[in-house]
Amino acid sequence: MLRLRNLLVTAAAVLAVLCCGSLTYTSDDHRPPNLIVIFCDDLGYGDLRSYGHPTIATPHLDQMAREGMLFTQFYSASPACTASRYALLTGRYPVRSGFDWVLYPKSERGLHPKEHTLAEGLKTAGYRTGCFGKWHLGSTKPEYLPLQNGFDAYVGLPYSNDMIPPKWPDIALLSGNDTLGMNPDQSLLTGLYTQVALDFMQQDDAAPFFVYLPFAMPHVPLYPGEAFEGHSRAGTYGDVVEEIDDAVGQIRSALDQAGLAENTLILFTSDNGPWIIKGADGGSAGHLRDGKGSTWEGGMRVPGIACWPGTIAPGQVQRAPVNTMDCYTTLLQLAGQDLPEDRLVDGQNLLPLLRGDTLADRPFFYYGPGNQLQSVRKGPWKLHQITSSQTGIDYFDGQLPLLFNLDEDPGERFDRAVEYPEVVAELQLLLKAQAAATEKEGTYWD
Ligand code: MG
């Protein structure tokens, strides 16, 4: 099992080769902002203090929310890991990709070379690009891996931290395309990813950086770092979340010390809702129904916090619905990059919202775990044409379609379908049209 010292020495050596330059930052108003996307794995809507958790202490994230914008309706584009990551990095609904759920160690599929990733666009704009953490967009061919998809540097596990022996083959910890070692001690992962991200941020001041930090935690199995064992009143789950919170504190502190805070946008969110059937090892969706794997709100509505001092006014609670696909569009436009014109991009530019303006109403938002669209939202209304549940509970005894007013009822407790048949009919048409459109589009694997 790999130990931290060896990991850090090796990873640092790799990064030093990839990114030569000084260790000091300069702030320059004329260059586009540095961009940091922190993407937790299975962190639930209710898992942070700033989202109401009573015992998990997240002071750094709470401070980030106080100094920036906390979203009450931030959605992942899928309740499953691979499809969600695809949407974040391409700005497109997962249904367009052919990723129907998650990839496994021997999956033949992966991110297709024809896809245009956020990292590729930012690299074209002159950014240094680093990914440190869980990839999960294909690993059986080199072209699926981060270095072939726009990242200058990568350190991490290529797929989920539960796909490990004895059920699965040995898992490699990668640095770039190379293997640093097999079956790393998972209690070291959050610390390792944080450290290599900090190193990457500090290794060149000539170009803006994009750091994508997809932590392995709090996906099970849970492994807090040694310093965080027993740290939380909320048990081991709380320990790993509090370690991530500490990592956010380290990153923000490094930016402050370098005078770069006002030239850096940080986005913090999660790939999908929590594992609510894992007992104390799972997270909380707060007042939302169900969790990971489900198109109920608890599966796809996640914490979302953005901070950019001087641009995002402090202390804002943003209630407009936004989603991870918007990150692709927003960050590319911040970098001065045009969106590709040879494909549909589903993300919207959130910059007006971040700057305090309103956003044009999102026409609709589709919910689906992969190749099946199950639900659609327009304004406050959400229609379930199909439901899926992590718990196996059929909450409404097979009754479909279901209609909820999420403004009044975010917990999806009161079905309004009988009262509003015209809304049901309109949303059913939207869902049908989108299903037909994406079916025609097909996938790159056809
Ligand atoms: Mg996940």
Side-chain angles (χ1 to χ4, degrees), residues 81-94:
C81 295
T82 295
S84 174
R85 283 152 214 270
Y86 167 84
L88 174 78
L89 290 182
T90 66
R92 288 156 58 82
Y93 281 111

Side-chain angles (χ1 to χ4, degrees), residues 4 110 117 126 192 281 350 443:
L4 180 59
T117 71
L192 171 70
D281 281 350
L350 299 182
T443 74

Side-chain angles (χ1 to χ4, degrees), residues 293-346:
S294 147
T295 45
W296 294 100
E297 288 294 288
M300 292 176 62
R301 199 190 291 203
V302 289
I305 301 173
C307 188
W308 187 2
T311 300
I312 299 177
Q316 295 185 76
V317 175
Q318 180 54 254
R319 296 178 176 84
V322 301
N323 68 65
T324 48
M325 296 179 291
D326 300 335
C327 297
Y328 169 91
T329 303
T330 305
L331 300 193
L332 282 185
Q333 299 207 337
L334 270 175
Q337 286 294 294
D338 293 329
L339 301 178
E341 293 181 351
D342 60 347
R343 68 201 69 198
L344 287 170
V345 172
D346 299 299

Side-chain angles (χ1 to χ4, degrees), residues 38-50:
I38 302 172
F39 207 53
C40 296
D41 198 345
D42 296 1
L43 184 77
Y45 187 84
D47 280 335
L48 306 182
R49 177 66 56 82
S50 35

Side-chain angles (χ1 to χ4, degrees), residues 39-43 78-82 84-85 102 134 136 160 215-216 219 270-273 275 292:
F39 207 53
C40 296
D41 198 345
D42 296 1
L43 184 77
S78 167
C81 295
T82 295
S84 174
R85 283 152 214 270
V102 298
K134 170 180 170 176
H136 215 181
S160 270
F215 283 118
H219 194 295
S270 176
D271 70 335
N272 50 251
W275 260 125
K292 170 180 180 168

Side-chain angles (χ1 to χ4, degrees), residues 131-181:
C131 172
F132 309 109
K134 170 180 170 176
W135 178 241
H136 215 181
L137 285 167
S139 55
T140 50
K141 293 179 183 172
E143 60 259 40
Y144 299 154
L145 292 172
L147 261 53
Q148 285 65 249
N149 286 285
F151 287 100
D152 297 317
Y154 175 60
V155 174
L157 300 179
Y159 45 85
S160 270
N161 67 319
D162 61 341
M163 297 174 186
I164 52 175
K167 184 178 177 187
W168 301 96
D170 289 339
I171 187 169
L173 179 71
L174 300 181
S175 174
N177 293 323
D178 302 323
T179 299
L180 279 176

